[in-house]
Amino acid sequence: MADESCFHCGLPVTPEGNYPVTILGQARPMCCPGCQSVAQTIVDIGMESYYQHRQQCPPGSSPAADLVPDFLDSLNSWDDPGLQENFVHSLPQGSKEITLLISGITCAACVWLLEKHLRDQAGIAQCHINMSSNLALVSWDPEQTSLSTIIKAIAHVGYKAEPYTPVQQEAIIKRENKQALLRIGVAGLGAMQVMTYAVSLYMGAFEGIEPAHQQFLRWVSALVTTPVFFYAGLPFLQGAMRSLRNRHLSMDVPVAIALTFAYFSSVWATISNGPEVYFDSVCMFVFFLLVGRYLELRARHRSQSTSIRLSHSQLQTARKLDHEDSPLLVPADKLVPGDRVLVKAGEIIPGDGHILQGTGSVNESMLTGEQLPISKQVGDPVTGGTLNVEQPITVEISTLPGESTLSTLKRLLQRAEAEKPATFVLADRIASKFVLAVLITSICVYTYWWFHAPEDAFWIMLSVLVVTCPCALSLATPTAITAATARLSQMGFLATRAHTIEGLRHITDVVFDKTGTLTLGEFQLAETVPMPGEHSDTLLALAAALEQISEHPIARAFHGFKAHPDVKGRQIAANQGVEGQLAERTLRIGKPAYATPAGVTATPPAPCGQWIALADQVRILGWFRVEDQLRADADTLVQHLQASGKRCHVLSGDSSGHAEEVASLLGVDAVVGNATPQDKLIYIRTLQDNGAKVLMLGDGLNDAPVLAGADVSIAVAGASDLAQVAADGILLSQSLQPLQGILQLVEKTYGIIRQNLAWALLYNLIALPMAAAGFIPPWASALGMSASSLLVVLNALRLNR
């Protein structure tokens, strides 16, 4: 062991210990836990190739010092261009952009503080933080500042930031969940134990109790409450310290002040045999607030897990062709412009480029939302992430992975999400004024009683602080929102953003995507039109026989019908149709231009709809109209929305006229067909500019930017991962019907919130003067505060009925 050297820093590995890390497929020795941690971090963030480059350095050089100097001890390593390659994106105007994962964000005040602090830093052009995912999108001028300076600025105000990777986000989610459950467990156990002692103390206050017994119960309560205060309550204490250090009053401030005064005054009362103790209030307060914060944390984690799955789904391989056209499997994110890749039928195209060899069809539903494959020839462009449907093709890559259409779309999505109105920031600013008013009032009360009854001044001030502690006020909205969120999940709807329920309340316009949202996304035969002398059943049997060998979405519309047994020699024409033989006749089914014999005019029976022709070598035998089936409950939902005063719109990328037909069936006047993702986003922005509050329903990757850009957005069941990440809520069932109940529950939720706020304010208006006058002892104020909070919680739980 003594002869081995540390694989990271090169120092000898002592016999006393070895700290191995698996690097490049082998267990490598490390000399100390520090090198082990650094090396494991390098592996976890995907920079394992650093060690490959290091091994190629000339003998005698010190690559660890040259390439990664003091990796974690100094943040300056993040300024290395090689290290930034996988994280930093260069913008056209010369600035740079990165997505940072920030630890320690607990509320909108954190977001407000971070954004304000970063925007005050020189060189930072933009900073948008998504509270639900803890991701910050930051752009900066590299001539004025550096990435390490930005990360240090974030650390200066008490938060930890690092370049985003799915591995790190998963680790943070697990760590946050574990810590939150441990704190809740400690607070819950403490609250149960202390409440049993508190009941005895309360009864003793009314009926009498031996001083020795009273003192014993107080000391035991203090012992149980201490870990609750210092461990379970630590997030509130740290949040308050951070807020005060940065001169910003958040809701953590009054919570921490009340907890601190209640705990230490109770300890002092226990030591000095004072009048009252409030250990039960400390434990209950911490427990209730931790439970509420944990429910919010879980909702955020559900949203983040979808984003992680999407990131992992991109870690695919590609068949890169060498100079001898032999395929070699390589990571898709290592492809560079000029590389040639082989894409077999049924495989995902690994990057943006154009076709060098082969013809076929490509399913671009992840971009357009439409299920019909697009015919592609040599020279045609293809997009990474789309599906090659029929035949092998050779693609020449034209862009770097970070510049691909999919990467650009993801950045657009992150930017749209980050720019959502921060409603909780406004609420926190209002709360900070309330906090300031409570603190000033407490000081005034203490000053008054100091001159009139100095022995009671502290206890009366404490009564004022406890009785006016904004517990009920701060719980009024979160408890109702939490209860509503739980009820909505039972109804088949998952709210993935904190503002979802609030936003649904103000909706004026509802915008539907067509394919996969109003329709099922599956083609079915809607109409058969035989030519004179032909019979519908015979034509249908011939069509079913021809389409048996095809898995094209339109072909599947014929798969359920009985096929003619005598059709032979069937062949697929890529993205055109199918040809077959019936005795001496050659039959074709597919696009009119493909199926129709030369010299015969192909005119569909109607201008609208998707028409498929069946013909032989002489004439057209008949026509079939296939349609994407309308959801059974779409009509009822639209009628309900319109009856409640909301305007409905239909947006679709479909150019066949089916979108207009669906809108007509539903009684919707506002309809736009053949719309690109950008067209949809412009349409939404126009509505918003005219004062509309827009709810968007969609399912495809092409809907992700517009879902993120709408005031509130819902992804339907089966939506793509990126659409679910972009959406503020997800319909878990295959039905649109729950949306009616969702909107009704939202109205009821805000009725409950108004009741809770009214009670909290009324309680404070009554209790504050009485406490300030000395009529409410501290124990009664603690009991009143707890009862007020409990009433708010119970009222909110009515939503779960």
Side-chain angles (χ1 to χ4, degrees):
M1 182 71 70
D3 295 331
E4 288 187 290
S5 59
C6 177
F7 190 75
H8 179 72
C9 70
L11 294 176
V13 176
T14 62
E16 286 75 17
N18 179 25
Y19 305 89
V21 175
T22 301
I23 300 174
L24 302 175
Q26 297 182 32
R28 310 289 186 171
M30 301 289 159
C31 63
C32 65
C35 284
Q36 182 188 42
S37 175
V38 172
Q40 189 63 55
T41 302
I42 293 175
V43 173
D44 289 344
I45 67 172
M47 292 300 296
E48 196 173 8
S49 59
Y50 151 67
Y51 291 104
Q52 288 178 315
H53 296 303
R54 188 182 70 170
Q55 290 173 344
Q56 299 170 3
C57 291
S61 65
S62 179
D66 295 336
L67 296 181
V68 190
D70 301 324
F71 186 78
L72 290 184
D73 297 331
S74 172
L75 289 174
N76 293 332
S77 59
W78 290 118
D79 296 331
D80 189 309
L83 197 59
Q84 291 186 6
E85 183 178 344
N86 292 335
F87 307 112
V88 177
H89 172 67
S90 297
L91 299 178
Q93 61 270 32
S95 59
K96 293 187 175 182
E97 184 179 74
I98 191 173
T99 299
L100 295 173
L101 180 61
I102 301 181
S103 304
I105 293 178
T106 58
C107 65
C110 300
V111 174
W112 178 85
L113 174 63
L114 279 166
E115 289 185 343
K116 181 177 183 297
H117 180 68
L118 286 177
R119 287 168 183 164
D120 290 339
Q121 306 299 312
I124 295 183
Q126 285 186 332
C127 174
H128 299 295
I129 300 175
N130 186 337
M131 179 180 165
S132 64
S133 62
N134 287 4
L135 296 180
L137 189 67
V138 182
S139 59
W140 73 95
D141 183 355
E143 298 295 329
Q144 299 185 48
T145 189
S146 63
L147 178 57
S148 62
T149 303
I150 295 172
I151 298 178
K152 289 175 182 176
I154 293 173
H156 180 72
V157 290
Y159 301 87
K160 179 184 176 183
E162 51 195 335
Y164 166 74
T165 64
V167 172
Q168 288 169 317
Q169 192 173 23
E170 283 182 305
I172 288 177
I173 285 176
K174 291 178 182 178
R175 184 169 65 250
E176 286 182 344
N177 190 64
K178 181 179 178 180
Q179 289 180 346
L181 288 175
L182 283 174
R183 294 187 197 280
I184 289 174
V186 170
L189 288 173
M192 287 189 292
Q193 291 296 321
V194 172
M195 281 303 298
T196 60
Y197 310 139
V199 169
S200 300
L201 290 173
Y202 287 145
M203 295 300 294
F206 288 106
E207 299 181 4
I209 186 174
E210 288 291 331
H213 292 166
Q214 181 188 55
Q215 199 66 4
F216 173 76
L217 291 175
R218 287 185 174 186
W219 275 111
V220 173
S221 298
L223 183 65
V224 174
T225 305
T226 297
V228 175
F229 177 77
F230 285 103
Y231 175 71
L234 186 61
F236 307 109
L237 302 178
Q238 289 177 331
M241 289 297 296
R242 188 163 51 217
S243 297
L244 293 174
R245 187 167 59 247
N246 293 285
R247 301 178 182 178
H248 177 67
L249 292 177
S250 70
M251 290 299 291
D252 282 337
V253 173
V255 169
I257 290 176
L259 287 175
T260 301
F261 276 11
Y263 174 75
F264 284 105
S265 64
S266 298
V267 172
W268 175 250
T270 301
I271 295 173
S272 62
N273 199 23
E276 301 296 339
V277 294
Y278 317 100
F279 294 120
D280 57 325
S281 298
V282 172
C283 293
M284 285 177 56
F285 199 12
V286 171
F287 177 71
F288 281 133
L289 289 177
L290 283 176
V291 169
R293 185 165 289 186
Y294 177 73
L295 292 175
E296 295 176 6
L297 183 74
R298 292 298 299 164
R300 189 172 75 242
H301 286 175
R302 282 194 297 268
S303 173
Q304 293 177 17
S305 64
T306 305
S307 175
I308 290 171
R309 287 200 310 273
L310 174 67
S311 297
H312 282 320
S313 70
Q314 291 183 279
L315 303 178
Q316 56 179 317
T317 57
R319 289 185 175 87
K320 180 181 175 182
L321 299 177
D322 59 19
H323 296 295
E324 299 178 355
D325 289 341
S326 298
L328 175 66
L329 284 177
V330 298
D333 58 1
K334 299 299 182 183
L335 295 174
V336 297
D339 284 346
R340 297 177 303 127
V341 294
L342 174 66
V343 185
K344 295 184 177 181
E347 293 183 345
I348 301 295
I349 298 173
D352 291 357
H354 62 273
I355 296 178
L356 285 179
Q357 295 179 9
T359 60
S361 56
V362 175
N363 189 324
E364 296 184 343
S365 59
M366 56 82 68
L367 286 176
T368 65
E370 301 303 321
Q371 296 298 320
L372 287 178
I374 306 300
S375 178
K376 296 289 184 178
Q377 309 293 329
V378 172
D380 287 346
V382 291
T383 304
T386 57
L387 176 66
N388 180 29
V389 176
E390 293 177 331
Q391 303 180 70
I393 56 175
T394 301
V395 175
E396 181 178 339
I397 300 300
S398 60
T399 61
L400 290 169
E403 307 294 333
S404 68
T405 301
L406 186 57
S407 297
T408 302
L409 192 57
K410 284 184 62 181
R411 285 194 296 272
L412 173 63
L413 167 62
Q414 290 172 346
R415 191 173 295 113
E417 282 182 333
E419 291 173 355
K420 280 185 178 293
T423 55
F424 287 112
V425 175
L426 177 61
D428 187 76
R429 289 177 179 173
I430 295 173
S432 66
K433 296 180 180 178
F434 178 83
V435 170
L436 183 61
V438 168
L439 296 178
I440 293 175
T441 301
S442 300
I443 293 172
C444 293
V445 169
Y446 180 82
T447 304
Y448 173 82
W449 284 104
W450 175 258
F451 290 104
H452 293 79
E455 69 280 2
D456 296 328
F458 176 77
W459 303 108
I460 293 176
M461 181 200 69
L462 186 59
S463 294
V464 171
L465 260 180
V466 172
V467 84
T468 59
C469 181
C471 182
L473 193 62
S474 62
L475 289 174
T477 299
T479 52
I481 295 295
T482 301
T485 301
R487 177 60 182 154
L488 288 173
S489 66
Q490 297 171 7
M491 297 169 62
F493 176 75
L494 177 64
T496 59
R497 299 284 192 275
H499 72 272
T500 302
I501 298 176
E502 178 187 359
L504 285 171
R505 180 182 172 220
H506 303 290
I507 292 303
T508 61
D509 291 66
V510 182
V511 177
F512 295 92
D513 176 50
K514 179 184 73 71
T515 305
T517 304
L518 288 174
T519 65
L520 296 173
E522 298 176 357
F523 284 94
Q524 294 187 6
L525 184 63
E527 183 180 0
T528 302
V529 180
M531 292 293 99
E534 302 295 337
H535 193 275
S536 296
D537 292 340
T538 303
L539 295 180
L540 191 55
L542 292 173
L546 290 168
E547 298 285 19
Q548 268 185 342
I549 65 170
S550 176
E551 288 299 323
H552 193 282
I554 288 181
R556 288 197 291 268
F558 296 91
H559 284 184
F561 297 99
K562 184 177 180 180
H564 196 294
D566 298 328
V567 176
K568 309 294 182 184
R570 294 163 295 184
Q571 294 182 346
I572 296 175
N575 207 39
Q576 299 294 321
V578 182
E579 179 182 301
Q581 301 294 322
L582 178 62
E584 301 300 325
R585 302 168 66 191
T586 298
L587 301 177
R588 281 187 173 186
I589 186 171
K591 292 181 177 180
Y594 165 75
T596 305
V600 177
T601 302
T603 304
C608 293
Q610 187 80 37
W611 289 97
I612 306 301
L614 174 64
D616 59 17
Q617 65 270 37
V618 178
R619 66 189 185 96
I620 295 177
L621 303 177
W623 293 88
F624 302 98
R625 181 166 61 89
V626 292
E627 284 185 355
D628 194 358
Q629 289 295 100
L630 192 66
R631 289 184 186 267
D633 49 9
D635 186 32
T636 305
L637 174 62
V638 170
Q639 289 181 11
H640 172 79
L641 292 173
Q642 292 176 334
S644 61
K646 295 176 176 59
R647 297 183 295 271
C648 294
H649 311 254
V650 176
L651 297 182
S652 177
D654 191 350
S655 59
S656 68
H658 190 224
E660 290 77 4
E661 185 177 344
V662 167
S664 177
L665 289 172
L666 297 176
V668 176
D669 297 328
V671 55
V672 177
N674 197 25
T676 65
Q678 187 65 24
D679 293 336
K680 294 181 180 182
L681 189 56
I682 292 173
Y683 188 91
I684 293 291
R685 296 297 190 206
T686 302
L687 290 177
Q688 292 171 329
D689 291 342
N690 292 326
K693 298 295 182 182
V694 180
L695 167 63
M696 173 72 190
L697 283 87
D699 73 315
L701 180 60
N702 64 309
D703 296 320
V706 69
L707 285 170
D711 296 279
V712 184
S713 55
I714 295 176
V716 300
S720 67
D721 277 347
L722 195 56
Q724 293 186 29
V725 173
D728 302 309
I730 302 171
L731 277 175
L732 303 177
S733 70
Q734 294 293 333
S735 172
L736 296 176
Q737 192 66 28
L739 192 57
Q740 295 185 31
I742 291 168
L743 295 176
Q744 292 171 351
L745 182 66
V746 167
E747 290 300 323
K748 184 177 179 181
T749 299
Y750 276 86
I752 294 290
I753 290 175
R754 285 191 292 269
Q755 295 171 9
N756 284 350
L757 289 174
W759 162 250
L761 291 173
L762 180 64
Y763 163 77
N764 278 295
L765 288 174
I766 294 174
L768 176 59
M770 296 181 66
F775 295 137
I776 301 180
W779 68 267
S781 64
L783 195 61
M785 184 269 290
S786 300
S788 175
S789 302
L790 185 60
L791 182 63
V792 165
V793 173
L794 292 175
N795 190 40
L797 291 178
R798 292 194 300 117
L799 291 168
N800 283 324
R801 292 181 184 175

